[in-house]
């Protein structure tokens, strides 16, 4: 499949209104399977922690295998539409799909339990304040993407979740040539992770968002140790890179690194792995390379101080509330993981600021990225802590002091909401799905091409969890 075809198909993604709820998503896939019983094979691959069946949908009979998994982070539903659009296209345009010579294994969402806790904002995803107020992201040790077995240096992790086990089995059963874990970000531009440096793929990864009118994210990278293969395309260098970076800063890696990723697990099969990270909102500063009048080191310190201050406010509320909390909600579990993490991120940023050249000037994009990370994290994790306190008030178990504490946090949260970035614009969902769909096709085209004679074994891994 040539680049022109990829761009055409990416541009043909239909309009979408909001994101599908879990039951709706499953019903749409069930309808596809019922309409094409001879072309869709549904296989149960596992069971969620709350007892929901997890299914993979096999479409096609090509000589290459591709695994496409949505909902690996349940607050990232762009992949729900991407998975559904991919499955629909495979069934409606079999001649073009056959040029990829691929058997597709598509999982609509691997964490339906977590995704249901985000459904309150799925119908209206364009308002960032509304989104954050109803946000849920599991604690790192409860994230499917980050609970694969991991052992490196002082880090050891084997608390594999049932959903992760299902994901592992699917990878090992199919030994895929291609694995796409469907993620997305929040604000800014498009960026990618790729397990191999592939100029032909990267060229198309750049071309797709350009053709659809989205900028590449050229500001502050998600992690400071990432190796850039090309603008906005980062290598999956594995947990070793994160580990060595933290050791170099004098920070205990075991405090920040836990489980491994799906890409690391798939590396044993020589799988090409790709992640397309897409924002819900764009901002003109996100790709502005104009120098500012602030040094990069000072920007890091200033942002670290702001993040630490927000974290301290949330930690004070959490500490005061903890003796009065009686309901072990997922929101509370996540709050107890993420709120202390804010202070840890601030400490890391201060440590790396001390190693930055004093004459390096921050760009507008870097400044926006650092400042927006503070806004993002305090809205995300302040919202989740509020949901934990509200679970007690809704159940009638909140004492008078706990209700007052909830009101105090709500007042602070309202001030953070008022400080939301001006100038942010929601991106049409069809554009976001088009970029992700185009990126999948670009990688599948490479895998099925004659130039990919063998699959190297790479120790690859994304790093993260926040």
């Amino acid at each position: 499949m040539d680049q022109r075809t990829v761009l055409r198909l990416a541009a043909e993604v239909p309009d979408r209104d909001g994101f599908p709820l879990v039951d709706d998503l499953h019903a749409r896939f069930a309808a596809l399977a019922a309409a094409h019983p001879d072309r869709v094979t549904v296989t149960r691959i596992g069971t969620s922690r709350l007892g929901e069946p997890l299914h993979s949908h096999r479409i096609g009979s090509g000589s290459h295998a591709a695994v496409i998994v949505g909902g690996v982070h349940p607050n990232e539903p762009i992949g729900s539409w991407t998975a559904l659009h991919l499955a629909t296209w495979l069934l409606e345009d079999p001649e073009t799909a056959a040029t990829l010579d691929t058997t597709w294994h598509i999982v609509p969402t691997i964490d339906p339990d977590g995704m249901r806790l985000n459904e309150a904002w799925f119908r209206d995803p364009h308002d960032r304040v509304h989104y954050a107020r109803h946000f849920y992201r599991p604690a790192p040790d409860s994230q499917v993407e980050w609970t694969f077995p991991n052992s490196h240096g002082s880090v050891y992790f084997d608390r594999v979740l049932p959903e992760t086990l299902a994901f592992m089995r699917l990878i090992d059963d199919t030994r895929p040539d291609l694995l796409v874990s469907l993620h997305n970000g929040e604000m800014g531009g498009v960026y990618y992770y790729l397990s191999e440096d592939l100029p032909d793929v990267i060229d198309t990864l750049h071309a797709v968002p350009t053709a659809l009118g989205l900028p590449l994210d050229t500001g502050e990278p998600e992690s400071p140790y990432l190796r850039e293969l090309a603008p906005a395309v980062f290598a999956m260098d594995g947990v070793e890179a994160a580990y060595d970076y933290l050791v170099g800063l004098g920070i205990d890696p075991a405090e920040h690194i836990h489980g491994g990723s799906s890409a690391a697990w798939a590396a044993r099969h020589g799988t090409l792995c790709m992640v397309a990270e897409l924002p819900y909102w764009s901002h003109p500063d996100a790709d502005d390379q104009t120098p500012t009048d602030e040094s990069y080191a000072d920007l890091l310190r200033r942002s670290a101080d702001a993040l630490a201050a927000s974290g301290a406010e949330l930690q004070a509320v959490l500490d005061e509330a903890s003796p009065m909390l009686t309901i072990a909600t997922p929101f509370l579990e996540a709050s107890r993981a993420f709120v202390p993490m804010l202070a840890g991120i601030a400490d890391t940023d201060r440590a790396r600021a001390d190693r930055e050249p004093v004459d390096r000037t921050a760009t507008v994009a870097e400044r926006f990225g650092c400042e927006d990370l503070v806004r993002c994290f305090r809205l995300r994790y302040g919202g989740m802590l509020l949901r934990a306190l509200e679970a007690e008030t809704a159940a009638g178990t909140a004492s008078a002091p706990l209700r007052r504490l909830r009101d105090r946090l709500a007042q602070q949260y309202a001030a953070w909401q008022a400080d939301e970035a001006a100038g942010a614009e929601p991106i049409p969902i069809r554009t976001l799905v088009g970029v992700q769909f185009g990126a999948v096709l670009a990688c599948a085209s490479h895998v099925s091409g004659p130039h990919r004679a063998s699959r190297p074994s790479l120790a690859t891994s994304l790093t993260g969890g926040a």
Side-chain angles (χ1 to χ4, degrees):
M1 182 179 291
D2 60 23
Q3 186 179 107
R4 181 177 299 180
T5 301
V6 172
L7 296 180
R8 174 180 63 81
L9 293 171
E12 291 176 353
V13 171
D15 288 330
R16 299 293 189 183
D17 183 18
F19 295 108
L21 306 185
V22 173
D23 287 344
D24 180 31
L25 179 63
H26 287 168
R28 288 170 183 261
F29 267 87
L32 284 178
H36 304 275
D38 56 333
R39 299 176 58 199
V40 181
T41 301
V42 182
T43 302
R44 183 166 177 172
I45 59 173
T47 308
S48 77
R49 279 160 283 180
L50 293 181
E52 185 149 352
L54 304 173
H55 293 109
S56 173
H57 300 73
R58 189 182 77 226
I59 303 175
S61 56
S63 59
H64 301 279
V67 169
I68 313 295
V69 179
V72 285
H73 285 136
N75 59 291
E76 299 175 1
I78 293 173
S80 295
W81 283 134
T82 303
L84 182 64
H85 180 74
L86 172 63
T88 303
W89 172 75
L90 292 170
L91 295 168
E92 292 182 348
D93 190 2
E95 288 191 14
T96 307
T99 65
L100 296 174
D101 189 24
T102 296
T103 300
W104 300 83
H105 305 266
I106 304 172
V107 180
T109 174
I110 196 70
D111 185 4
D113 303 340
M115 186 166 276
R116 293 182 192 281
L117 299 180
N118 282 285
E119 289 185 335
W121 61 267
F122 279 8
R123 296 301 193 197
D124 182 19
H126 300 303
D127 184 341
R128 194 182 188 190
V129 170
H130 176 73
Y131 154 84
R133 186 63 180 82
H134 301 281
F135 175 93
Y136 169 70
R137 185 177 178 91
D141 287 0
S142 293
Q143 294 177 12
V144 178
E145 181 65 275
W146 291 109
T147 49
F148 285 75
N150 186 29
S151 179
H152 180 75
S154 61
V155 174
Y156 185 85
F157 184 90
D158 62 1
R159 298 189 302 279
V160 176
L161 303 174
E163 298 89 342
T164 311
L165 182 59
F167 200 167
M168 291 166 61
R169 287 176 181 150
L170 181 61
I171 291 172
D172 289 343
D173 287 347
T174 60
R175 298 177 58 85
D177 299 85
L178 173 64
L179 169 64
V180 180
S181 181
L182 296 170
H183 290 259
N184 64 257
E186 282 191 12
M187 177 78 76
V190 177
Y191 62 101
Y192 305 92
Y193 292 100
L194 199 59
S195 63
E196 300 175 36
D197 189 354
L198 303 172
D200 63 313
V201 174
I202 290 172
D203 185 55
T204 304
L205 294 182
H206 283 165
V208 172
T210 299
L212 296 180
L214 288 186
L216 295 175
D217 194 320
T218 56
E220 185 73 0
E222 189 173 19
S223 299
Y225 49 80
L226 292 174
R227 180 168 57 93
E228 194 175 66
L229 301 176
V233 182
F234 300 97
M236 295 179 182
D237 278 336
V239 70
E240 296 83 1
Y243 191 97
D244 292 345
Y245 177 79
L246 292 170
V247 168
L249 292 178
I251 295 172
D252 181 5
E255 296 179 1
H256 297 266
I257 301 173
H258 303 282
S261 70
S262 60
W265 189 259
R268 67 193 59 210
H269 304 300
T271 303
L272 171 63
C273 300
M274 187 276 293
V275 167
E277 294 276 10
L278 309 159
Y280 300 119
W281 303 277
S282 64
H283 194 282
D285 289 352
D287 64 339
D288 187 341
Q289 297 304 303
T290 305
T292 66
D293 58 1
E294 183 177 27
S295 74
Y296 183 66
D298 286 345
L299 170 63
L300 289 177
R301 294 187 185 97
R302 178 168 62 83
S303 300
D305 289 345
L307 188 62
S310 298
E313 292 187 59
L314 292 174
Q315 189 68 59
V317 171
L318 180 58
D319 289 345
E320 190 172 342
S322 285
M324 297 180 279
L325 296 174
T326 63
I327 305 175
T329 63
F331 313 117
L332 180 57
E333 178 193 27
S335 295
R336 284 173 170 160
F338 286 121
V339 169
M341 188 181 293
L342 300 185
I345 295 172
D347 289 343
T348 300
D349 284 350
R350 292 190 187 103
R352 68 187 181 99
D354 293 339
R355 302 189 176 208
E356 289 292 334
V358 294
D359 58 347
R360 180 191 167 188
T361 301
T363 66
V364 171
E366 288 171 334
R367 181 180 65 191
F368 177 79
C370 287
E371 292 176 348
D372 197 64
L373 186 70
V374 177
R375 288 189 288 264
C376 166
F377 280 3
R378 68 190 185 189
L379 286 174
R380 275 185 173 192
Y381 305 133
M384 282 204 298
L385 182 53
L386 266 174
R387 295 184 77 178
L389 302 186
E390 287 170 343
E392 300 278 349
T393 57
T397 58
S399 64
L402 184 59
R403 293 197 302 273
R404 289 193 293 270
L405 195 60
R406 184 267 173 204
D407 292 342
R408 187 179 99 193
L409 178 57
Q411 184 177 14
Q412 175 60 72
Y413 193 76
W416 287 339
Q417 289 176 315
D419 191 39
E420 174 54 17
E425 293 290 337
I427 300 170
I429 293 173
R430 64 173 295 180
T431 302
L432 301 174
V433 176
V435 172
Q436 203 165 56
F437 177 56
V440 171
L441 296 181
C443 292
S445 179
H446 174 86
V447 164
S448 64
H451 48 286
R452 190 171 175 83
S454 62
R455 294 188 285 168
S457 178
L458 298 177
T460 59
S461 170
L462 291 175
T463 55

